[in-house]
Amino acid sequence: MKPVTGPDFDSHELIPAIAQDAETGDVLMMAWMNRESWQETLTTGKVCYYSRSRKKLWRKGEESGNVQELLSAWFDCDGDTLLLKVRQIGGAACHEGYRSCFFRRVLPETGGRIFREPTGMRGPPSTKMHD
């Protein structure tokens, strides 16, 4: 078994990338990266993803102004998932206008049937990952 020294784009054309607010720990979104978007992100310091639907690079904030500045990047033990610690510039990481794409919550006590969405201001109070 060869040692994992970075994202394994040789085995996986696309790798999931989770964007996390570096300051608050809130999970903002998940998108895909390929080798080219990864290299551009490292070169520019601005997060660039790969859009599977448009089949092209997706420079986060290019149209909305909601840019993600890369502060650090982590890869998992298999090199097949990235965690990007970012500074979210602009109010929304989600294309629906929410601060986080994770604005719906499933309540286990309801059998998983009820989704609660925030009211009023966009975005949830917190989407931190807890133990």
Side-chain angles (χ1 to χ4, degrees):
M1 178 188 250
K2 81 177 192 183
V4 178
T5 58
D8 186 4
F9 292 108
D10 292 334
S11 299
H12 309 280
E13 185 179 336
L14 295 176
I15 291 179
I18 300 161
Q20 182 180 34
D21 186 302
E23 184 178 323
T24 67
D26 290 351
V27 176
L28 300 174
M29 60 180 285
M30 190 293 271
W32 297 94
M33 293 185 109
N34 64 6
R35 188 184 310 271
E36 185 179 2
S37 64
W38 170 246
Q39 287 302 321
E40 180 169 318
T41 297
L42 294 177
T43 301
T44 66
K46 304 267 193 280
V47 179
C48 176
Y49 299 105
Y50 180 80
S51 170
R52 295 182 305 164
S53 60
R54 293 179 276 164
K55 296 183 176 22
K56 67 176 196 170
L57 293 182
W58 165 32
R59 293 166 182 91
K60 182 70 177 142
E62 189 171 49
E63 295 175 19
S64 67
N66 296 319
V67 175
Q68 291 175 344
E69 182 180 83
L70 182 69
L71 299 182
S72 65
W74 303 72
F75 55 93
D76 74 342
C77 54
D78 296 321
D80 62 3
T81 303
L82 289 163
L83 174 63
L84 309 176
K85 304 267 185 151
V86 303
R87 178 178 296 121
Q88 180 67 45
I89 300 169
C94 179
H95 74 282
E96 291 190 27
Y98 291 92
R99 182 173 184 285
S100 167
C101 292
F102 298 95
F103 61 89
R104 293 182 179 98
R105 179 174 39 171
V106 178
L107 300 174
E109 62 270 18
T110 66
R113 292 187 205 102
I114 295 178
F115 293 85
R116 291 191 181 171
E117 296 186 37
T119 56
M121 293 190 63
R122 295 273 191 173
S126 178
T127 53
K128 289 183 183 170
M129 294 191 297
H130 296 286
D131 294 333

